[in-house]
Amino acid sequence: MPVVAHPGPRSPAPPALRLEVPDAWAVAPAGDALLRLVGPGSSGGEVVVEVRPRVEAPGTTADVLVAALAAEAAGASGEVEEAFVVEVGGREWTAHNVARDGADGDVVEVHLVSVVGAGDDVVTAVHVRGRVAGDGLDADYDQLQQVLETVVVEQAGA
């Protein structure tokens, strides 16, 4: 009978990472994410950043993965902007902005994906999702962008 383990070749440990956030932000219960950070929005809403590890099939690329995640976030009525590549924390990230209507008004999400490891068994990646909504969307997006520009993946999972 085979033995399986976590971490292992098909179930790697998540990477260590860090972000810098304004003083008023807090770490919230993360659920299935590595981190969930919440800050006050300019119009009473929230600015949210979630970081999730991804373990994908061999050959999966950042652009394919982020396109699928952005399309899912947009749903049938949202809009996915063109992909762009950005370097953050010495690492290349592929990104999409998503705009859609939400229960409390307009919503903009930023989806960033970076592959942190690729082998014969799996591809490991990090998915960072930032979200702003409501009347203060433009000012909150600037704050969100400042936080996203601080993400650093310190090491890939073992």
Side-chain angles (χ1 to χ4, degrees), residues 9 16 34 39 53 56-57 66 68 77 80 89 94 100-101 116 122 125 144 154 158:
L34 292 174
E56 302 293 333
V66 76
S77 62
V80 178
T94 305
R100 62 180 168 79
D101 293 330
V116 297
V122 295
L144 172 63
E154 296 179 334

Side-chain angles (χ1 to χ4, degrees), residues 62-121:
D63 57 332
V64 169
L65 179 55
V66 76
L69 293 166
E72 181 181 333
S77 62
E79 178 183 329
V80 178
E81 293 181 5
E82 290 295 319
F84 59 97
V85 175
V86 62
E87 185 174 317
V88 177
R91 175 174 295 281
E92 184 176 283
W93 296 81
T94 305
H96 277 286
N97 286 332
V98 175
R100 62 180 168 79
D101 293 330
D104 298 328
D106 293 337
V107 175
V108 172
E109 290 185 359
V110 180
H111 293 264
L112 301 167
V113 169
S114 184
V115 170
V116 297
D120 293 337
D121 294 319

Side-chain angles (χ1 to χ4, degrees), residues 1-2 10 13 22-24 29 32 42-43 46 49 57 77 82 88 90 104 108-109 125 139 153:
M1 180 180 301
R10 293 187 182 217
D23 289 336
D32 64 350
S42 61
S43 62
E46 295 179 328
V49 173
S77 62
E82 290 295 319
V88 177
D104 298 328
V108 172
E109 290 185 359
V153 176

Side-chain angles (χ1 to χ4, degrees), residues 1-74:
M1 180 180 301
V3 175
V4 295
H6 177 74
R10 293 187 182 217
S11 181
L17 55 92
R18 61 185 160 85
L19 291 106
E20 295 176 27
V21 297
D23 289 336
W25 283 47
V27 177
D32 64 350
L34 292 174
L35 283 173
R36 185 169 195 271
L37 310 164
V38 179
S42 61
S43 62
E46 295 179 328
V47 181
V48 179
V49 173
E50 293 177 337
V51 181
R52 286 187 167 76
R54 302 288 306 200
V55 179
E56 302 293 333
T60 301
T61 60
D63 57 332
V64 169
L65 179 55
V66 76
L69 293 166
E72 181 181 333

